[in-house]
Amino acid sequence: MTTETSSHYDHLEQMSVHDLLTNINREDQTVPLAVAAVIPQIEALVEQIVPRMAQGGRLFYIGAGTSGRLGVVDASECPPTYGVPHDLVVGLIAGGDGAIRKAVEFAEDDAEQAWKDMASYEPTPADTVIGIAASGRTPYVIGGLQQAQAAGLLTGCIVCNAGSAVAQAAAYPVEVVVGPEFVTGSTRMKSGTAQKLVLNMVSTAVMIRLGRVKGNKMVDMQLSNVKLQDRAAKMVMSEIGVDRETAEQLLTQYGNVRNAIDNYTH
């Protein structure tokens, strides 16, 4: 299990700040290469997710600790970025939402809880569950995937060890083997970075294929702060050649960039 093997570095407490930062960065540079090596696995998973979501299916992430938090982050950013409903991409963490801020002891050891956590969403075979677990041995994730698979849902995973129990429980595993962590066993580091990169790739590719991006713009984003309102106005100005006042009026009238552009009449 490479996530648990000893760091390439030792006597960390004797290193200068410069050497600590340089060596952490050196390790981090290996992560995108590990992700690149498994793009075919990521592609296979995304190709299965898109048609299901196009028919109304949802995407669930399940995980514990850092892995669970990363799933929650990715899910929570989909509505403001792509204008999708809050229950389209759902992040579930062992121990419940309180575990996002504070670790809940032994929550990850309950193999029945993930499926119970999903029950209120009334999962159907159109839905997808992606288990996230650096070690690949988290009972919460293994049990959730097994029960989802038994219920006919599409299952995938993101793990950082090869040949894990989590991967065996998923129809479409993504195994990003990043090797030993700088601090031995601290999988919030390279493993967490790898998981974040893969989650970015999965959700972004899915949303683009579902038509939530036009050109390279977030035309369905929620205009939930001044920065985003400014970005939206500039998008409308650029796309249809109107002045700022007109762009802002269109956005106020139609609610987002896509509708402002589609409903504009000269």
Side-chain angles (χ1 to χ4, degrees), residues 195-220:
Q195 292 170 329
K196 173 62 173 164
L197 292 176
V198 175
L199 286 165
N200 286 349
M201 295 165 78
V202 169
S203 57
T204 303
V206 166
M207 290 298 160
I208 291 171
R209 297 298 291 171
L210 291 175
R212 290 288 172 170
V213 169
K214 182 177 176 64
N216 57 17
K217 304 295 195 301
M218 299 182 290
V219 292
D220 292 320

PDB file of all heavy atoms in Angstrom, residues 195-220:
ATOM      1  N   GLN A 195      -6.789  13.537  -5.866  1.00  0.00           N
ATOM      2  CA  GLN A 195      -8.246  13.408  -5.847  1.00  0.00           C
ATOM      3  C   GLN A 195      -8.918  14.695  -6.301  1.00  0.00           C
ATOM      4  O   GLN A 195      -9.898  14.665  -7.064  1.00  0.00           O
ATOM      5  CB  GLN A 195      -8.711  13.018  -4.438  1.00  0.00           C
ATOM      6  CG  GLN A 195      -8.297  11.621  -4.034  1.00  0.00           C
ATOM      7  CD  GLN A 195      -8.543  11.352  -2.567  1.00  0.00           C
ATOM      8  OE1 GLN A 195      -8.478  12.238  -1.724  1.00  0.00           O
ATOM      9  NE2 GLN A 195      -8.832  10.106  -2.238  1.00  0.00           N
ATOM     10  N   LYS A 196      -8.410  15.824  -5.859  1.00  0.00           N
ATOM     11  CA  LYS A 196      -8.967  17.111  -6.270  1.00  0.00           C
ATOM     12  C   LYS A 196      -8.842  17.297  -7.782  1.00  0.00           C
ATOM     13  O   LYS A 196      -9.788  17.747  -8.441  1.00  0.00           O
ATOM     14  CB  LYS A 196      -8.244  18.244  -5.515  1.00  0.00           C
ATOM     15  CG  LYS A 196      -8.606  19.657  -5.970  1.00  0.00           C
ATOM     16  CD  LYS A 196     -10.066  19.989  -5.767  1.00  0.00           C
ATOM     17  CE  LYS A 196     -10.329  21.465  -6.077  1.00  0.00           C
ATOM     18  NZ  LYS A 196     -11.776  21.744  -6.273  1.00  0.00           N
ATOM     19  N   LEU A 197      -7.684  16.952  -8.330  1.00  0.00           N
ATOM     20  CA  LEU A 197      -7.493  17.087  -9.775  1.00  0.00           C
ATOM     21  C   LEU A 197      -8.482  16.217 -10.547  1.00  0.00           C
ATOM     22  O   LEU A 197      -9.087  16.661 -11.532  1.00  0.00           O
ATOM     23  CB  LEU A 197      -6.057  16.720 -10.161  1.00  0.00           C
ATOM     24  CG  LEU A 197      -4.952  17.665  -9.697  1.00  0.00           C
ATOM     25  CD1 LEU A 197      -3.580  17.099 -10.071  1.00  0.00           C
ATOM     26  CD2 LEU A 197      -5.121  19.057 -10.296  1.00  0.00           C
ATOM     27  N   VAL A 198      -8.663  14.983 -10.092  1.00  0.00           N
ATOM     28  CA  VAL A 198      -9.586  14.080 -10.793  1.00  0.00           C
ATOM     29  C   VAL A 198     -11.029  14.555 -10.656  1.00  0.00           C
ATOM     30  O   VAL A 198     -11.802  14.533 -11.631  1.00  0.00           O
ATOM     31  CB  VAL A 198      -9.420  12.635 -10.293  1.00  0.00           C
ATOM     32  CG1 VAL A 198     -10.474  11.725 -10.933  1.00  0.00           C
ATOM     33  CG2 VAL A 198      -8.027  12.115 -10.601  1.00  0.00           C
ATOM     34  N   LEU A 199     -11.401  15.010  -9.467  1.00  0.00           N
ATOM     35  CA  LEU A 199     -12.758  15.543  -9.283  1.00  0.00           C
ATOM     36  C   LEU A 199     -12.996  16.747 -10.192  1.00  0.00           C
ATOM     37  O   LEU A 199     -14.072  16.866 -10.799  1.00  0.00           O
ATOM     38  CB  LEU A 199     -12.975  15.928  -7.818  1.00  0.00           C
ATOM     39  CG  LEU A 199     -13.150  14.755  -6.858  1.00  0.00           C
ATOM     40  CD1 LEU A 199     -12.991  15.218  -5.411  1.00  0.00           C
ATOM     41  CD2 LEU A 199     -14.510  14.087  -7.052  1.00  0.00           C
ATOM     42  N   ASN A 200     -12.007  17.642 -10.287  1.00  0.00           N
ATOM     43  CA  ASN A 200     -12.133  18.773 -11.209  1.00  0.00           C
ATOM     44  C   ASN A 200     -12.401  18.284 -12.627  1.00  0.00           C
ATOM     45  O   ASN A 200     -13.259  18.816 -13.345  1.00  0.00           O
ATOM     46  CB  ASN A 200     -10.833  19.593 -11.236  1.00  0.00           C
ATOM     47  CG  ASN A 200     -10.625  20.441 -10.008  1.00  0.00           C
ATOM     48  OD1 ASN A 200     -11.513  20.604  -9.184  1.00  0.00           O
ATOM     49  ND2 ASN A 200      -9.428  20.991  -9.878  1.00  0.00           N
ATOM     50  N   MET A 201     -11.633  17.272 -13.043  1.00  0.00           N
ATOM     51  CA  MET A 201     -11.760  16.752 -14.405  1.00  0.00           C
ATOM     52  C   MET A 201     -13.112  16.115 -14.632  1.00  0.00           C
ATOM     53  O   MET A 201     -13.775  16.361 -15.652  1.00  0.00           O
ATOM     54  CB  MET A 201     -10.626  15.751 -14.670  1.00  0.00           C
ATOM     55  CG  MET A 201      -9.242  16.371 -14.654  1.00  0.00           C
ATOM     56  SD  MET A 201      -7.903  15.160 -14.546  1.00  0.00           S
ATOM     57  CE  MET A 201      -7.839  14.573 -16.235  1.00  0.00           C
ATOM     58  N   VAL A 202     -13.563  15.309 -13.681  1.00  0.00           N
ATOM     59  CA  VAL A 202     -14.832  14.603 -13.845  1.00  0.00           C
ATOM     60  C   VAL A 202     -15.995  15.585 -13.925  1.00  0.00           C
ATOM     61  O   VAL A 202     -16.778  15.577 -14.888  1.00  0.00           O
ATOM     62  CB  VAL A 202     -15.048  13.597 -12.693  1.00  0.00           C
ATOM     63  CG1 VAL A 202     -16.482  13.059 -12.708  1.00  0.00           C
ATOM     64  CG2 VAL A 202     -14.049  12.448 -12.787  1.00  0.00           C
ATOM     65  N   SER A 203     -16.134  16.442 -12.916  1.00  0.00           N
ATOM     66  CA  SER A 203     -17.308  17.322 -12.882  1.00  0.00           C
ATOM     67  C   SER A 203     -17.273  18.342 -14.018  1.00  0.00           C
ATOM     68  O   SER A 203     -18.320  18.642 -14.617  1.00  0.00           O
ATOM     69  CB  SER A 203     -17.431  18.022 -11.531  1.00  0.00           C
ATOM     70  OG  SER A 203     -16.268  18.769 -11.230  1.00  0.00           O
ATOM     71  N   THR A 204     -16.106  18.863 -14.342  1.00  0.00           N
ATOM     72  CA  THR A 204     -16.016  19.845 -15.429  1.00  0.00           C
ATOM     73  C   THR A 204     -16.354  19.206 -16.766  1.00  0.00           C
ATOM     74  O   THR A 204     -17.137  19.760 -17.558  1.00  0.00           O
ATOM     75  CB  THR A 204     -14.609  20.463 -15.474  1.00  0.00           C
ATOM     76  OG1 THR A 204     -14.309  21.060 -14.217  1.00  0.00           O
ATOM     77  CG2 THR A 204     -14.524  21.530 -16.556  1.00  0.00           C
ATOM     78  N   ALA A 205     -15.769  18.040 -17.041  1.00  0.00           N
ATOM     79  CA  ALA A 205     -16.052  17.365 -18.311  1.00  0.00           C
ATOM     80  C   ALA A 205     -17.527  17.003 -18.421  1.00  0.00           C
ATOM     81  O   ALA A 205     -18.149  17.173 -19.478  1.00  0.00           O
ATOM     82  CB  ALA A 205     -15.178  16.116 -18.440  1.00  0.00           C
ATOM     83  N   VAL A 206     -18.107  16.514 -17.318  1.00  0.00           N
ATOM     84  CA  VAL A 206     -19.528  16.151 -17.330  1.00  0.00           C
ATOM     85  C   VAL A 206     -20.396  17.375 -17.618  1.00  0.00           C
ATOM     86  O   VAL A 206     -21.288  17.335 -18.478  1.00  0.00           O
ATOM     87  CB  VAL A 206     -19.928  15.498 -15.988  1.00  0.00           C
ATOM     88  CG1 VAL A 206     -21.453  15.441 -15.851  1.00  0.00           C
ATOM     89  CG2 VAL A 206     -19.343  14.101 -15.882  1.00  0.00           C
ATOM     90  N   MET A 207     -20.122  18.474 -16.922  1.00  0.00           N
ATOM     91  CA  MET A 207     -20.951  19.670 -17.105  1.00  0.00           C
ATOM     92  C   MET A 207     -20.815  20.247 -18.521  1.00  0.00           C
ATOM     93  O   MET A 207     -21.801  20.702 -19.112  1.00  0.00           O
ATOM     94  CB  MET A 207     -20.585  20.726 -16.061  1.00  0.00           C
ATOM     95  CG  MET A 207     -21.005  20.350 -14.647  1.00  0.00           C
ATOM     96  SD  MET A 207     -22.798  20.161 -14.494  1.00  0.00           S
ATOM     97  CE  MET A 207     -22.887  19.171 -12.999  1.00  0.00           C
ATOM     98  N   ILE A 208     -19.618  20.198 -19.078  1.00  0.00           N
ATOM     99  CA  ILE A 208     -19.441  20.680 -20.451  1.00  0.00           C
ATOM    100  C   ILE A 208     -20.224  19.797 -21.422  1.00  0.00           C
ATOM    101  O   ILE A 208     -20.931  20.305 -22.305  1.00  0.00           O
ATOM    102  CB  ILE A 208     -17.949  20.728 -20.817  1.00  0.00           C
ATOM    103  CG1 ILE A 208     -17.243  21.829 -20.028  1.00  0.00           C
ATOM    104  CG2 ILE A 208     -17.766  20.962 -22.323  1.00  0.00           C
ATOM    105  CD1 ILE A 208     -15.728  21.827 -20.147  1.00  0.00           C
ATOM    106  N   ARG A 209     -20.126  18.490 -21.247  1.00  0.00           N
ATOM    107  CA  ARG A 209     -20.833  17.575 -22.139  1.00  0.00           C
ATOM    108  C   ARG A 209     -22.351  17.693 -21.979  1.00  0.00           C
ATOM    109  O   ARG A 209     -23.099  17.374 -22.912  1.00  0.00           O
ATOM    110  CB  ARG A 209     -20.392  16.130 -21.887  1.00  0.00           C
ATOM    111  CG  ARG A 209     -18.925  15.876 -22.171  1.00  0.00           C
ATOM    112  CD  ARG A 209     -18.552  16.116 -23.621  1.00  0.00           C
ATOM    113  NE  ARG A 209     -19.132  15.117 -24.498  1.00  0.00           N
ATOM    114  CZ  ARG A 209     -19.099  15.190 -25.831  1.00  0.00           C
ATOM    115  NH1 ARG A 209     -18.534  16.224 -26.424  1.00  0.00           N
ATOM    116  NH2 ARG A 209     -19.642  14.236 -26.561  1.00  0.00           N
ATOM    117  N   LEU A 210     -22.796  18.145 -20.814  1.00  0.00           N
ATOM    118  CA  LEU A 210     -24.230  18.359 -20.604  1.00  0.00           C
ATOM    119  C   LEU A 210     -24.698  19.722 -21.114  1.00  0.00           C
ATOM    120  O   LEU A 210     -25.857  20.085 -20.949  1.00  0.00           O
ATOM    121  CB  LEU A 210     -24.569  18.220 -19.113  1.00  0.00           C
ATOM    122  CG  LEU A 210     -24.464  16.804 -18.520  1.00  0.00           C
ATOM    123  CD1 LEU A 210     -24.704  16.843 -17.017  1.00  0.00           C
ATOM    124  CD2 LEU A 210     -25.442  15.846 -19.197  1.00  0.00           C
ATOM    125  N   GLY A 211     -23.777  20.482 -21.713  1.00  0.00           N
ATOM    126  CA  GLY A 211     -24.152  21.750 -22.335  1.00  0.00           C
ATOM    127  C   GLY A 211     -24.144  22.942 -21.408  1.00  0.00           C
ATOM    128  O   GLY A 211     -24.749  23.976 -21.722  1.00  0.00           O
ATOM    129  N   ARG A 212     -23.431  22.849 -20.290  1.00  0.00           N
ATOM    130  CA  ARG A 212     -23.445  23.913 -19.296  1.00  0.00           C
ATOM    131  C   ARG A 212     -22.365  24.968 -19.516  1.00  0.00           C
ATOM    132  O   ARG A 212     -22.214  25.878 -18.690  1.00  0.00           O
ATOM    133  CB  ARG A 212     -23.298  23.309 -17.893  1.00  0.00           C
ATOM    134  CG  ARG A 212     -24.534  22.537 -17.446  1.00  0.00           C
ATOM    135  CD  ARG A 212     -25.676  23.486 -17.128  1.00  0.00           C
ATOM    136  NE  ARG A 212     -26.934  22.834 -16.862  1.00  0.00           N
ATOM    137  CZ  ARG A 212     -28.001  23.462 -16.386  1.00  0.00           C
ATOM    138  NH1 ARG A 212     -27.930  24.767 -16.116  1.00  0.00           N
ATOM    139  NH2 ARG A 212     -29.125  22.827 -16.194  1.00  0.00           N
ATOM    140  N   VAL A 213     -21.619  24.849 -20.608  1.00  0.00           N
ATOM    141  CA  VAL A 213     -20.609  25.842 -20.980  1.00  0.00           C
ATOM    142  C   VAL A 213     -20.833  26.205 -22.434  1.00  0.00           C
ATOM    143  O   VAL A 213     -21.153  25.347 -23.257  1.00  0.00           O
ATOM    144  CB  VAL A 213     -19.184  25.280 -20.779  1.00  0.00           C
ATOM    145  CG1 VAL A 213     -18.130  26.196 -21.407  1.00  0.00           C
ATOM    146  CG2 VAL A 213     -18.892  25.083 -19.299  1.00  0.00           C
ATOM    147  N   LYS A 214     -20.667  27.482 -22.762  1.00  0.00           N
ATOM    148  CA  LYS A 214     -20.791  27.939 -24.149  1.00  0.00           C
ATOM    149  C   LYS A 214     -19.464  28.565 -24.557  1.00  0.00           C
ATOM    150  O   LYS A 214     -19.002  29.513 -23.925  1.00  0.00           O
ATOM    151  CB  LYS A 214     -21.919  28.965 -24.277  1.00  0.00           C
ATOM    152  CG  LYS A 214     -22.164  29.470 -25.700  1.00  0.00           C
ATOM    153  CD  LYS A 214     -23.348  30.436 -25.720  1.00  0.00           C
ATOM    154  CE  LYS A 214     -23.579  31.054 -27.091  1.00  0.00           C
ATOM    155  NZ  LYS A 214     -23.948  30.041 -28.103  1.00  0.00           N
ATOM    156  N   GLY A 215     -18.825  28.009 -25.588  1.00  0.00           N
ATOM    157  CA  GLY A 215     -17.477  28.449 -25.944  1.00  0.00           C
ATOM    158  C   GLY A 215     -16.535  27.997 -24.845  1.00  0.00           C
ATOM    159  O   GLY A 215     -16.213  26.820 -24.722  1.00  0.00           O
ATOM    160  N   ASN A 216     -16.095  28.931 -24.035  1.00  0.00           N
ATOM    161  CA  ASN A 216     -15.345  28.564 -22.829  1.00  0.00           C
ATOM    162  C   ASN A 216     -15.885  29.297 -21.608  1.00  0.00           C
ATOM    163  O   ASN A 216     -15.198  29.445 -20.596  1.00  0.00           O
ATOM    164  CB  ASN A 216     -13.848  28.861 -23.007  1.00  0.00           C
ATOM    165  CG  ASN A 216     -13.578  30.324 -23.345  1.00  0.00           C
ATOM    166  OD1 ASN A 216     -14.430  31.191 -23.143  1.00  0.00           O
ATOM    167  ND2 ASN A 216     -12.395  30.607 -23.859  1.00  0.00           N
ATOM    168  N   LYS A 217     -17.141  29.739 -21.692  1.00  0.00           N
ATOM    169  CA  LYS A 217     -17.725  30.602 -20.662  1.00  0.00           C
ATOM    170  C   LYS A 217     -18.760  29.869 -19.807  1.00  0.00           C
ATOM    171  O   LYS A 217     -19.496  29.016 -20.280  1.00  0.00           O
ATOM    172  CB  LYS A 217     -18.403  31.822 -21.313  1.00  0.00           C
ATOM    173  CG  LYS A 217     -17.497  32.658 -22.217  1.00  0.00           C
ATOM    174  CD  LYS A 217     -16.383  33.323 -21.455  1.00  0.00           C
ATOM    175  CE  LYS A 217     -15.716  34.433 -22.260  1.00  0.00           C
ATOM    176  NZ  LYS A 217     -15.145  33.982 -23.539  1.00  0.00           N
ATOM    177  N   MET A 218     -18.821  30.279 -18.528  1.00  0.00           N
ATOM    178  CA  MET A 218     -19.791  29.724 -17.581  1.00  0.00           C
ATOM    179  C   MET A 218     -21.121  30.476 -17.721  1.00  0.00           C
ATOM    180  O   MET A 218     -21.497  31.276 -16.879  1.00  0.00           O
ATOM    181  CB  MET A 218     -19.266  29.846 -16.144  1.00  0.00           C
ATOM    182  CG  MET A 218     -17.975  29.099 -15.888  1.00  0.00           C
ATOM    183  SD  MET A 218     -17.417  29.233 -14.164  1.00  0.00           S
ATOM    184  CE  MET A 218     -16.928  30.963 -14.092  1.00  0.00           C
ATOM    185  N   VAL A 219     -21.826  30.197 -18.788  1.00  0.00           N
ATOM    186  CA  VAL A 219     -23.001  31.001 -19.120  1.00  0.00           C
ATOM    187  C   VAL A 219     -24.189  30.743 -18.198  1.00  0.00           C
ATOM    188  O   VAL A 219     -25.158  31.507 -18.204  1.00  0.00           O
ATOM    189  CB  VAL A 219     -23.424  30.775 -20.587  1.00  0.00           C
ATOM    190  CG1 VAL A 219     -22.376  31.333 -21.533  1.00  0.00           C
ATOM    191  CG2 VAL A 219     -23.679  29.304 -20.875  1.00  0.00           C
ATOM    192  N   ASP A 220     -24.137  29.664 -17.413  1.00  0.00           N
ATOM    193  CA  ASP A 220     -25.234  29.360 -16.491  1.00  0.00           C
ATOM    194  C   ASP A 220     -24.886  29.676 -15.046  1.00  0.00           C
ATOM    195  O   ASP A 220     -25.650  29.333 -14.137  1.00  0.00           O
ATOM    196  CB  ASP A 220     -25.616  27.877 -16.594  1.00  0.00           C
ATOM    197  CG  ASP A 220     -26.251  27.544 -17.927  1.00  0.00           C
ATOM    198  OD1 ASP A 220     -27.057  28.356 -18.413  1.00  0.00           O
ATOM    199  OD2 ASP A 220     -25.942  26.481 -18.487  1.00  0.00           O
TER     200      ASP A 220
END
